[in-house]
Amino acid sequence: MDEDAESLSSAAAASPGVLQTIRRTIRRAAANSPLVSGGKGSKVTAGDASDSRLPTSPSLSLGSPFSSPLKNIGGLFSRKEQDENDKGKNPNMSFGDSLLKRGASIRRNLTFSNKKDKTGRQEAMGYVSEGPAEEGKEQKEEVEEEAEEEEMEEAYMLPDLPHTPLSVMQINKLIEMEVLEEAHLNLLALRQEFQRERARCGEDSPMELSKKEKDLHLLYGELRNKLHGIVRDSNSLPSRNKALLVPVARIIQEEERRGVEPGGLAGSWMAAWREAVGEGVRLKVASVHLERPEQNVSWLAVHLGLLGKAVVEDLQGVRRELRWSYPPSFQVFSAYVRSYHAAAGRHVTALGLQTTELKDLYALLDWILNRYQSERIMGSESLQPDMMGESAALLLEDENLTQLRDKFCCRVKEDMRSSLDRVIGLEQEDVWRDGRSPEEEEQLLNAPFHMDIWTTMNGFVKLSGLIDAELKQKVTSCCLQELRGFPRRFEEEFQRHCSSLRPQPLWTEYQITYINSFSALQQHMDGYRDACPDQLDGFRQEAAGLIGRLSKALEDQFKDDVQPFLRRMMTRKWLTNDEDFGHLRRRTELLSQHCTLMRSPHNQHLVGRLHYHVVREYVGQLMKNNYSCKNRKHQKAARKMRLQWRELSNQFENMKSAHEWLYAAGDDLSDVLVQKNHNDIKDHLQPLVEHYPDFSRKHLQAVLAFRGPLGVRERQLILQRYEELKEKVGMAGDLSRVLFADMPVTVTTGCLSSLPASCLRRLLPGN
């Protein structure tokens, strides 16, 4: 023995796990050994499937070799002399005090399998706790405490039942006083008595038997309620209820074993135990401190932090203390974990109904989906390794979680709309109301609200992404849906507040500013294409519509400004005066300045459209028969046209117009106008026809009419040459470049159009 103890102590000192391994080996050997008969009571193994028949209860006959420690308990009520002796010893001792003393001895019988010689074990444990404090003193102390606990045996010894059970009132008193072992033994005796009487009476049950069955049910109901309360409060009051949990577990085991026998209570005792565990957990969850929103803006985050802490501490208590008071078949830790999953799930569902603020909804969803399963709560290192085989997820209905997600998204959508409304309000207060000029950023007119919108939305998306990817996608979709209506609302407010500024320069600056800002906003939102392509396209379509309308307003404004000057081109005044062209040049220079303040590619699109318009209107004046050059003035007109054309072309070239094909039109027409005779004109038609396939016979006749009178024969030869060139070029030209096709021609093209005015006067009546 000394040598064994010495070797065991050495093994424990070498490794803390060796002692536990040796103990498990010893327990397995003991469990596999046959039960030695003899001694008081009978050994019961719960859950033994080798024999489906119920074990026989100890015999209550007079000849039974077993004697119960409770066989004389009835004497408390029947023997007057012993009562007097008891009173003589302690006059204040009550009936309950006497029973409590006897109950203590019965507890020792029920738990004797746990009461082993701990001297050697405690001595061995002394080696486990050795070691420097720097290596985790607290963890070693916790391991030492757990190592000192012994798992409760599944098998137990049921004491002998009393031959004569106590009365119903007495048994009920025992239950009230929590003398549970003795109350249960008497209840079992009363139940056996009922079963014997029932077997004798058969179907003809007397009234007395029915009354006894009713009493049994009432007593069993009281016992179950008492057990329910003890189990419910066991983790809240561990020091009080710990001693009671062992008999509670044995009573539940015995009643589960006897469940099919007459006289018992309907329903599973194990199910009732789990229900009591669940109620205790619900009470613990409900007791966590919860402030009102008006008391603390972070009321929910604080509450959830306290709730997580309470869950961990409670499960630590179960793992450290409560589980040792139950047999392994109860799976105590698993029962508490599942109960917390259910109770916390119901609790957060109720919290979700009263939560409205985005920060609180975020805190709730984050706690449900992330924190509850993290190392802070269910994944806590202090709960390992018992949590290894357990689910760490809350027990929450899918529809409840979906409702929380939808509520979060709706709140995001509301906050997004409020932010967009504030953008419009700030623009009205800071810019439109006072007529402030827009700011320049990187040499571009800019309103910073596009960055504010992107920052707000990006904050919502990132916040939801911290919860999970599904919520992030839904939030992104909601934000883009709300953003889709923003360009139209912004435009309406802009028109309402700033329409009086037309056509002032400030109006133009505002339009360029908002073209830039919404273009930048489009670029910001492109980052969400992979997540929500359809919603992004919807927003981009609305933003592009606004940008297009703002650009069209700039285009129309420029056209209105230059139209009076272009209309007076190719006239007698134009030939002798440069005033109108000076206005056109200055207005085009202003356009160039504005386009430098506009983002690409919108400035290029605007420049291209206005370049085409200026060319078309400038050249189009040749086709309106406003003036016909005489006395070789066509050469002066050609030189002036070439000079002005090059000046306009340089301006649009500086603006980087993409319509380079328009640059040749003025030079080609000037080359035709400047020629002295029809042969030279014929020789200079080819570039014009090749560059512009839509240049028609009518347009050529109009150009010839502006140049001045030609003979019929000369005109016919020129037109004949045009037809030859047209046939030769055919479809080789670029038909997508249309300049002359839509250009109206008002010159007369009949046979008399080539006659001089003096000849036409001779044809009038009276001459």
Side-chain angles (χ1 to χ4, degrees):
M1 292 291 291
D2 296 337
E3 293 178 358
D4 293 342
E6 183 177 356
S7 63
L8 183 61
S9 301
S10 301
S15 173
V18 173
L19 180 60
Q20 296 180 9
T21 303
I22 294 173
R23 285 182 181 157
R24 285 197 296 268
T25 304
I26 294 172
R27 283 201 296 269
R28 283 198 297 268
N32 294 330
S33 65
L35 179 64
V36 180
S37 62
K40 289 187 177 183
S42 59
K43 185 171 183 178
V44 181
T45 303
D48 188 359
S50 62
D51 188 357
S52 60
R53 295 172 299 173
L54 294 174
T56 306
S57 298
S59 174
L60 300 178
S61 64
L62 296 174
S64 173
F66 301 103
S67 59
S68 171
L70 302 178
K71 62 183 179 180
N72 294 323
I73 195 164
L76 290 171
F77 308 104
S78 60
R79 284 197 246 170
K80 184 177 180 182
E81 293 178 0
Q82 185 171 344
D83 290 343
E84 292 175 355
N85 293 336
D86 291 340
K87 290 179 181 179
K89 294 177 182 178
N90 185 358
N92 295 326
M93 180 177 289
S94 65
F95 158 72
D97 295 332
S98 172
L99 294 181
L100 287 173
K101 286 185 177 182
R102 293 180 178 269
S105 66
I106 298 173
R107 285 192 194 95
R108 288 193 293 273
N109 289 334
L110 284 172
T111 60
F112 79 95
S113 59
N114 284 340
K115 305 266 185 164
K116 299 180 180 179
D117 185 11
K118 296 184 180 179
T119 306
R121 181 170 71 250
Q122 291 174 352
E123 182 179 354
M125 283 297 114
Y127 292 99
V128 176
S129 62
E130 288 180 359
E134 294 79 13
E135 296 181 1
K137 182 177 180 181
E138 293 182 0
Q139 293 184 359
K140 288 197 170 187
E141 289 177 354
E142 185 175 342
V143 170
E144 182 179 351
E145 288 180 7
E146 292 185 5
E148 290 178 356
E149 296 287 354
E150 282 292 337
E151 192 175 64
M152 185 176 175
E153 296 290 344
E154 192 71 38
Y156 62 95
M157 301 295 293
L158 181 69
D160 290 339
L161 304 183
H163 294 284
T164 303
L166 299 178
S167 68
V168 173
M169 294 295 294
Q170 291 168 342
I171 295 174
N172 188 59
K173 185 68 175 177
L174 291 175
I175 295 173
E176 290 179 0
M177 298 173 63
E178 297 180 350
V179 187
L180 301 178
E181 307 93 334
E182 192 165 349
H184 184 236
L185 290 174
N186 280 273
L187 194 52
L188 289 177
L190 186 62
R191 183 175 177 180
Q192 281 194 353
E193 188 178 275
F194 164 76
Q195 291 172 0
R196 288 194 298 271
E197 293 179 9
R198 186 171 179 266
R200 286 196 302 268
C201 296
E203 297 181 358
D204 300 330
S205 301
M207 185 67 66
E208 185 67 24
L209 190 62
S210 298
K211 181 179 181 298
K212 183 170 290 188
E213 183 177 20
K214 183 178 180 182
D215 291 341
L216 276 171
H217 287 169
L218 291 174
L219 288 173
Y220 264 119
E222 290 296 323
L223 180 62
R224 182 177 283 186
N225 290 337
K226 176 60 69 174
L227 265 59
H228 182 96
I230 293 171
V231 172
R232 180 194 61 207
D233 301 335
S234 59
N235 211 20
S236 300
L237 304 169
S239 58
R240 172 185 177 273
N241 290 331
K242 187 175 180 180
L244 293 174
L245 290 180
V246 173
V248 166
R250 296 311 188 195
I251 290 172
I252 293 173
Q253 282 183 291
E254 184 66 21
E255 288 303 324
E256 282 286 292
R257 191 178 68 84
R258 295 173 178 263
V260 296
E261 296 180 6
L265 200 61
S268 169
W269 285 73
M270 281 298 296
W273 174 79
R274 285 189 288 268
E275 182 181 343
V277 169
E279 183 176 341
V281 167
R282 288 194 296 273
L283 292 174
K284 179 63 71 73
V285 169
S287 67
V288 177
H289 180 65
L290 176 63
E291 294 180 302
R292 292 192 299 272
E294 56 269 20
Q295 293 176 320
N296 187 350
V297 293
S298 302
W299 64 280
L300 188 54
V302 171
H303 173 70
L304 293 174
L306 295 174
L307 178 59
K309 183 179 179 182
V311 171
V312 174
E313 291 177 351
D314 206 25
L315 290 178
Q316 285 175 344
V318 172
R319 183 172 180 267
R320 185 173 56 251
E321 297 180 4
L322 285 189
R323 66 172 176 172
W324 307 115
S325 300
Y326 291 95
S329 61
F330 277 67
Q331 298 181 347
V332 180
F333 187 78
S334 295
Y336 273 90
V337 168
R338 289 192 292 269
S339 296
Y340 265 111
H341 289 343
R346 285 190 292 268
H347 184 67
V348 296
T349 299
L351 288 175
L353 297 176
Q354 64 188 74
T355 304
T356 57
E357 294 297 324
L358 185 64
K359 61 179 178 59
D360 297 330
L361 289 168
Y362 168 79
L364 193 59
L365 281 169
D366 184 53
W367 194 86
I368 292 171
L369 296 173
N370 296 325
R371 293 180 179 269
Y372 185 77
Q373 304 180 51
S374 71
E375 66 280 358
R376 300 186 182 185
I377 305 178
M378 285 300 173
S380 172
E381 189 175 346
S382 63
L383 303 181
Q384 307 304 322
D386 299 79
M387 280 297 298
M388 294 292 289
E390 302 291 337
S391 169
L394 271 177
L395 191 60
L396 198 65
E397 295 291 338
D398 290 341
E399 60 180 11
N400 293 335
L401 187 57
T402 301
Q403 289 174 359
L404 273 178
R405 292 179 187 272
D406 292 342
K407 193 172 184 179
F408 183 87
C409 291
C410 289
R411 186 64 201 187
V412 166
K413 200 170 183 179
E414 292 175 5
D415 289 357
M416 186 70 183
R417 185 179 182 88
S418 299
S419 298
L420 296 176
D421 289 341
R422 284 196 298 272
V423 165
I424 298 175
L426 289 174
E427 200 70 10
Q428 192 273 329
E429 294 175 5
D430 298 343
V431 181
W432 302 336
R433 184 176 62 187
D434 300 331
R436 279 178 47 188
S437 296
E439 299 177 356
E440 285 191 27
E441 182 179 331
E442 297 180 357
Q443 298 181 343
L444 298 174
L445 290 178
N446 177 67
F449 66 76
H450 64 87
M451 183 60 71
D452 298 336
I453 294 173
W454 178 78
T455 302
T456 300
M457 179 174 170
N458 197 47
F460 290 145
V461 172
K462 284 188 174 181
L463 188 69
S464 58
L466 295 175
I467 296 176
D468 65 7
E470 179 183 351
L471 186 63
K472 180 180 179 181
Q473 197 275 339
K474 292 184 69 174
V475 165
T476 304
S477 176
C478 289
C479 289
L480 288 174
Q481 288 175 4
E482 189 59 43
L483 194 58
R484 181 174 183 173
F486 175 67
R488 183 72 66 174
R489 298 206 315 273
F490 186 91
E491 182 182 16
E492 291 174 355
E493 292 299 314
F494 173 57
Q495 297 285 354
R496 188 164 67 88
H497 288 91
C498 301
S499 58
S500 60
L501 297 176
R502 292 180 179 177
Q504 299 178 21
L506 191 59
W507 170 261
T508 302
E509 292 178 1
Y510 285 163
Q511 290 173 311
I512 295 173
T513 299
Y514 300 136
I515 289 173
N516 292 341
S517 297
F518 278 92
S519 177
L521 186 58
Q522 281 182 316
Q523 293 177 2
H524 293 320
M525 295 302 114
D526 283 342
Y528 304 113
R529 176 164 295 282
D530 292 340
C532 302
D534 295 337
Q535 290 78 6
L536 177 62
D537 289 341
F539 161 71
R540 285 190 63 86
Q541 184 178 358
E542 290 296 322
L546 173 58
I547 292 172
R549 290 188 293 273
L550 292 174
S551 297
K552 185 66 167 57
L554 288 175
E555 181 181 342
D556 292 342
Q557 183 177 336
F558 178 82
K559 289 178 180 179
D560 292 342
D561 290 345
V562 301
Q563 191 62 29
F565 314 127
L566 287 170
R567 191 177 298 165
R568 290 192 286 269
M569 297 293 107
M570 312 306 165
T571 61
R572 186 188 301 275
K573 181 183 179 182
W574 166 78
L575 193 59
T576 59
N577 193 321
D578 292 334
E579 182 181 354
D580 291 322
F581 183 78
H583 289 298
L584 175 62
R585 181 181 62 249
R586 286 189 293 274
R587 189 62 187 87
T588 307
E589 289 173 353
L590 184 59
L591 172 67
S592 177
Q593 295 173 10
H594 288 157
C595 288
T596 59
L597 299 173
M598 190 184 301
R599 282 181 178 271
S600 181
H602 306 293
N603 56 352
Q604 301 302 311
H605 295 161
L606 179 63
V607 166
R609 290 193 300 270
L610 294 180
H611 184 194
Y612 180 85
H613 174 76
V614 169
V615 168
R616 184 176 179 274
E617 291 299 315
Y618 187 88
V619 172
Q621 305 308 312
L622 284 173
M623 312 302 167
K624 294 185 177 180
N625 198 22
N626 292 329
Y627 180 71
S628 180
C629 299
K630 298 180 178 63
N631 301 324
R632 298 189 179 274
K633 290 181 180 179
H634 62 89
Q635 294 181 343
K636 180 181 179 181
R639 288 192 296 270
K640 188 166 190 175
M641 181 179 180
R642 188 185 301 276
L643 184 63
Q644 293 179 348
W645 185 263
R646 289 181 178 176
E647 193 169 347
L648 289 173
S649 297
N650 289 336
Q651 285 183 319
F652 283 104
E653 187 175 4
N654 292 334
M655 286 186 274
K656 298 180 181 180
S657 170
H659 296 330
E660 297 177 355
W661 60 279
L662 294 174
Y663 294 145
D667 292 334
D668 292 345
L669 291 171
S670 298
D671 287 342
V672 172
L673 292 175
V674 78
Q675 303 306 319
K676 296 180 179 180
N677 54 62
H678 70 282
N679 288 324
D680 294 336
I681 293 175
K682 289 192 299 180
D683 293 340
H684 287 82
L685 286 178
Q686 184 173 351
L688 185 60
V689 175
E690 289 179 350
H691 291 157
Y692 304 99
D694 62 333
F695 184 76
S696 67
R697 181 187 180 94
K698 293 187 301 181
H699 295 107
L700 179 56
Q701 289 175 336
V703 172
L704 295 177
F706 177 80
R707 180 191 175 277
L710 286 170
V712 176
R713 177 65 178 168
E714 294 172 340
R715 187 182 298 273
Q716 291 298 327
L717 291 174
I718 293 172
L719 293 176
Q720 183 179 352
R721 176 58 179 165
Y722 165 81
E723 296 295 342
E724 292 173 356
L725 292 172
K726 192 72 172 176
E727 184 177 355
K728 180 179 179 182
V729 173
M731 303 297 292
D734 189 351
L735 299 179
S736 64
R737 296 175 176 180
V738 177
L739 176 61
F740 293 94
D742 297 330
M743 195 178 294
V745 179
T746 58
V747 67
T748 303
T749 59
C751 61
L752 298 178
S753 60
S754 61
L755 294 177
S758 58
C759 295
L760 289 174
R761 282 196 297 270
R762 292 176 181 273
L763 297 176
L764 294 174
N767 290 333

